[in-house]
Amino acid sequence: MPNTNGFSGPPEGPIDLERLLPQAAARILEDEDPELFRTWLAGHLPDFALGEMKNAPADLFRAMAVPVSYMIWNATPLPGNNFRPRPLPKPTRNDPCPCESGHKYKKCCSNAPPFPVLDTMVMWPLVLSNLTSDQIEQAARQGILPLEALVTAAAESLENDRPLLAIELLRPHFEKPIKKPSPVDDFALQLLCDAYDEFGQAAEKLELLARISRETTKSPLRAGAWQRLTAIYLDNGDLEGGRETFANALRDDPGSPSCAILEMQLLAIEERFDQISTRADFWLRKLQRSQNPPETIEHITEILQELIDNPHYAAVLLDDHHLFNDNDLDDDEELDETSLRLLDWVDLAIERPLPSYSTDENALDLEDKDEVAGYLGRLGLSGKELDKAMKQIEEQTEEGLAKEDPEQLDPESSLVFQPPPEIEKLEAQWHAVSQLDKPFGIQNFPDQHWEGWEPEQAEPWIGFLEQHPEAADSLDILDDLVTAFFLYPDMPQPVMSREGMVPLLRRAVAIIEKNLVGIKDSRLLWNRLSNRPALRSLNRLYAVTRYGFEDLQEADRLAEFVFEINPHDNHGLRREYINDLLRRGENERALAVTEMFPDDVFVETVYGKLLALYRLGRLKSAQPLAEEAIDAYPLVAPYLTRARIKKPRMSESGIHIGGKDQAWLYREEMRETWQQSPGALDWLKKIMKIKGVRLRG
């Protein structure tokens, strides 16, 4: 029998609940058995002792396990009980002691240190972290999860780049009018809008906000909807609509910190910079007097303080994208002299007229070593760098660019971008000065370590640019400068990205587009080395546009342009683009992209075509393709269809074609999308059965 009669009470904080509760929740969910949980806790409680408690006798831990197990068990929502706790009654004095000592409770563990009642909301995040997305979604659809739990799960989904799951969790909550909105409702709305943004569902977001602003009473929830609508109107250039919705937001929640930023944006659009300093000071004092916890408004108060001193900073707030946000008050004053000089050069360079290039079909013969060496020499390479580049090209030629470049030995004709002779001469001088190697593959970084941002190393190439503004007419030099931005020591740096890298990428693509106008067959194949700066710039701009600015329309246009001029898509853009289209429900377009690459080896293309066909109801075409896909990638279908699966060991050397890592990565990227297609996974299971592939194989 545990000896507890002489124990007057535990020292302050005897058990490390922060470490204990997550492990306890995981153990409870294994079998939802209170007796097994209590036994587990009795054996492990000493591992979580703090301070003096670490030296307590074993009998005391055994006794403490009783109240601690009741405290945790009674607060834990159980999936097997419709996500409700199944509390156990406290034993009476004459009941057998739960510690299984054989004694009555009054003579055993009744004198153990008491523990407070644990709020169920403390356990919700821990329970959700142990559930699969299928289980969470099912509980959400049944309406048995409280809003706080939904918000917790949705926020975690967004952090893990799973916006579709966040949408499915939160959308049902807003399908009916909310009679008594709370601040949690507003937080849920903001999360749902963020998820719609990430998933590219602008129309759904707008409809939701309009409905909430119509149906909901005055509350933080309706104010949040008005604020979102204001931002949308301002982004679309509808100043009148923005003023109206901002006035509504201000009436509903006059002390909202978000209203401070919206007003600054309105004033900046109206170019009333003379009023910004005064209004920023007003809002700063108002927020400092408010009941908002200081840490929740710290970022906004920093911005307001900046606006008091520099009203024109409000123009920065008009940027409506996420890659270049205002999380840091990056200002030109924080940049070194080299960076400022480069940005000044970019400002002048992008104003130059677009140059004309010749676009003949003279291909560089990669098997002619003298011709290749001469070309690389004109790029400024010599000595060891030239030998290294020649060896790389020879290896790429022999290996077909390591399976990334199936057209390496392809005799297809291709345009070749050739700059004017004076620019070609300038490029040779640039390479000699900058000493920056080019990436010969599709990566963004060269193999060579470059120290060009060090002040002593930077002066020659910065000075060269300042003496030669016409360097901005060279796709080759623009390509190198963007690479230099990727190598910037403090990257990502909003000012350097927004005012340096992006304008140069846009200029490069504008040069490409201008010089291809009116050309019927405008292919620029990757195996022509002089085409690589153009193609690399185009793919880089797509990535910035899609994932930085989140401009879907422009990103789609750029992707289609890539496929038009580089039909082999050497950068593999089609992989992420097909997935993107399927997530957005654009099945016809996704199918059209997959059909551009009929013999593709990428899983995304094969299974993307399969899902598009299924969604479009073309099962006669889908079934034989599914059988071929399972033969080619036998692990992908099992990884897709299983509800839970252990993550395999990932190799740093790359993905193994047909391996577990490839199957896992596709599952992580696309399983949610397959789940959102009614019956798709069940249909795939049937095909697996036909092919003799076991679900748990």
Side-chain angles (χ1 to χ4, degrees), residues 342-642:
L342 179 57
L343 293 182
D344 288 342
W345 181 84
V346 171
D347 287 341
L348 296 175
I350 60 177
E351 298 299 326
R352 291 179 57 82
L354 298 177
S356 296
Y357 274 53
S358 64
T359 51
D360 57 38
E361 296 190 10
N362 294 325
L364 179 66
D365 185 354
L366 296 182
E367 295 183 350
D368 188 330
K369 294 184 179 180
D370 292 337
E371 186 176 349
V372 173
Y375 174 80
L376 294 176
R378 292 193 297 275
L379 293 182
L381 298 183
S382 61
K384 292 181 179 180
E385 289 80 10
L386 178 59
D387 293 340
K388 180 180 178 181
M390 289 290 295
K391 183 178 180 181
Q392 285 180 308
I393 292 177
E394 184 177 352
E395 291 174 352
Q396 291 172 355
T397 302
E398 292 175 353
E399 300 174 8
L401 285 182
K403 299 181 182 180
E404 292 177 4
D405 201 0
E407 107 243 11
Q408 182 67 42
L409 303 177
D410 194 337
E412 288 180 283
S413 63
S414 169
L415 298 177
V416 178
F417 263 179
Q418 296 289 349
E422 62 273 15
I423 295 300
E424 195 169 10
K425 181 179 179 181
L426 188 70
E427 290 171 350
Q429 298 171 2
W430 159 258
H431 289 294
V433 169
S434 69
Q435 297 295 306
L436 176 60
D437 278 355
K438 284 190 177 297
F440 278 93
I442 61 174
Q443 67 270 20
N444 283 318
F445 302 95
D447 294 333
Q448 171 207 28
H449 176 67
W450 189 62
E451 297 181 350
W453 286 106
E454 294 296 326
E456 304 80 13
Q457 304 293 329
E459 180 56 40
W461 66 269
I462 289 290
F464 178 89
L465 292 174
E466 290 173 334
Q467 294 174 15
H468 298 283
E470 70 274 19
D473 297 347
S474 165
L475 287 170
D476 184 20
I477 296 176
L478 291 176
D479 176 47
D480 281 352
L481 288 173
V482 173
T483 299
F485 277 111
F486 275 105
L487 297 172
Y488 188 72
D490 296 324
M491 213 62 171
Q493 224 278 10
V495 172
M496 294 295 281
S497 299
R498 182 180 61 245
E499 299 181 15
M501 182 175 69
V502 173
L504 294 182
L505 284 173
R506 287 175 173 163
R507 177 172 177 81
V509 172
I511 293 173
I512 299 168
E513 291 175 325
K514 175 199 170 180
N515 285 279
L516 292 181
V517 170
I519 298 178
K520 185 176 181 181
D521 186 359
S522 56
R523 285 181 298 176
L524 298 174
L525 296 187
W526 178 256
N527 64 2
R528 276 58 163 182
L529 293 186
S530 56
N531 286 341
R532 294 190 177 188
L535 294 173
R536 189 160 35 236
S537 295
L538 184 52
N539 279 274
R540 284 169 164 175
L541 184 59
Y542 168 84
V544 169
T545 303
R546 175 62 184 91
Y547 302 107
F549 295 112
E550 298 187 358
D551 184 343
L552 295 181
Q553 184 175 355
E554 177 62 12
D556 287 349
R557 187 189 72 81
L558 290 171
E560 291 167 5
F561 188 37
V562 168
F563 302 145
E564 176 187 348
I565 68 173
N566 182 221
H568 295 284
D569 180 32
N570 301 89
H571 282 74
L573 186 152
R574 61 192 179 278
R575 300 168 63 187
E576 56 192 275
Y577 188 55
I578 291 168
N579 288 350
D580 199 11
L581 290 172
L582 290 169
R583 291 192 198 98
R584 288 150 52 184
E586 299 190 37
N587 304 310
E588 290 282 6
R589 292 180 67 186
L591 180 61
V593 176
T594 67
E595 290 176 343
M596 295 179 187
F597 307 93
D599 300 317
D600 205 0
V601 297
F602 286 139
V603 168
E604 292 82 357
T605 308
V606 177
Y607 273 82
K609 182 175 183 179
L610 182 59
L611 181 56
L613 287 171
Y614 177 86
R615 285 176 163 183
L616 294 169
R618 304 179 192 175
L619 297 185
K620 287 185 179 180
S621 299
Q623 179 161 338
L625 178 63
E627 295 181 15
E628 293 174 8
I630 290 172
D631 285 337
Y633 305 98
L635 294 177
V636 173
Y639 269 64
L640 267 180
T641 51
R642 289 177 62 175

Side-chain angles (χ1 to χ4, degrees), residues 104-350:
K104 290 184 178 182
Y105 181 59
K106 65 182 179 182
K107 293 185 177 182
C108 192
C109 295
S110 63
N111 292 323
F115 279 79
V117 175
L118 188 64
D119 193 328
T120 301
M121 293 314 304
V122 174
M123 298 303 295
W124 265 115
L126 307 178
V127 170
L128 293 174
S129 68
N130 285 278
L131 302 181
T132 66
S133 58
D134 291 342
Q135 291 173 309
I136 295 173
E137 184 177 344
Q138 181 181 6
R141 290 185 179 279
Q142 292 174 353
I144 55 180
L145 295 183
L147 181 58
E148 290 82 357
L150 292 172
V151 165
T152 299
E156 184 175 351
S157 299
L158 283 175
E159 284 185 13
N160 294 327
D161 295 325
R162 305 180 72 183
L164 184 58
L165 178 57
I167 291 171
E168 292 301 322
L169 288 169
L170 295 175
R171 182 166 50 193
H173 178 70
F174 293 100
E175 288 177 349
K176 296 180 180 179
I178 299 173
K179 295 181 179 179
K180 295 182 179 180
S182 69
V184 181
D185 290 296
D186 178 45
F187 187 46
L189 173 66
Q190 304 309 321
L191 284 175
L192 182 53
C193 288
D194 290 343
Y196 278 139
D197 285 339
E198 289 193 25
F199 203 61
Q201 294 186 340
E204 288 81 353
K205 180 182 73 170
L206 188 60
E207 188 279 329
L208 169 68
L209 294 172
R211 178 160 47 81
I212 288 177
S213 65
R214 290 193 311 268
E215 298 176 352
T216 309
T217 58
K218 180 180 179 180
S219 60
L221 173 62
R222 192 172 75 174
W226 287 127
Q227 291 166 11
R228 283 272 184 169
L229 286 170
T230 301
I232 292 172
Y233 282 128
L234 295 183
D235 290 346
N236 293 333
D238 186 350
L239 187 56
E240 184 177 347
R243 288 197 195 98
E244 181 180 347
T245 51
F246 174 70
N248 291 334
L250 208 55
R251 279 194 293 269
D252 277 2
D253 192 359
S256 171
S258 298
C259 285
I261 300 301
L262 286 173
E263 183 176 348
M264 299 303 105
Q265 291 175 315
L266 272 168
L267 292 173
I269 291 173
E270 296 169 337
E271 298 186 353
R272 291 192 284 167
F273 293 99
D274 57 322
Q275 299 181 26
I276 288 177
S277 180
T278 302
R279 293 299 297 171
D281 181 65
F282 164 80
W283 275 105
L284 181 62
R285 288 185 284 106
K286 184 172 184 175
L287 293 179
Q288 289 171 339
R289 295 193 303 268
S290 71
Q291 300 298 315
N292 295 298
E295 64 273 11
T296 65
I297 59 173
E298 180 180 2
H299 172 54
I300 292 179
T301 56
E302 287 179 355
I303 292 176
L304 293 172
Q305 186 62 63
E306 177 73 16
L307 290 168
I308 293 172
D309 301 330
N310 177 20
H312 286 272
Y313 179 73
V316 177
L317 303 180
L318 299 180
D319 287 341
D320 60 347
H321 40 78
H322 302 289
L323 179 63
F324 315 121
N325 55 35
D326 301 300
N327 290 336
D328 302 303
L329 293 177
D330 294 296
D331 192 282
D332 287 359
E333 295 177 359
E334 298 179 5
L335 300 177
D336 58 26
E337 181 182 356
T338 298
S339 304
L340 291 171
R341 288 169 64 188
L342 179 57
L343 293 182
D344 288 342
W345 181 84
V346 171
D347 287 341
L348 296 175
I350 60 177

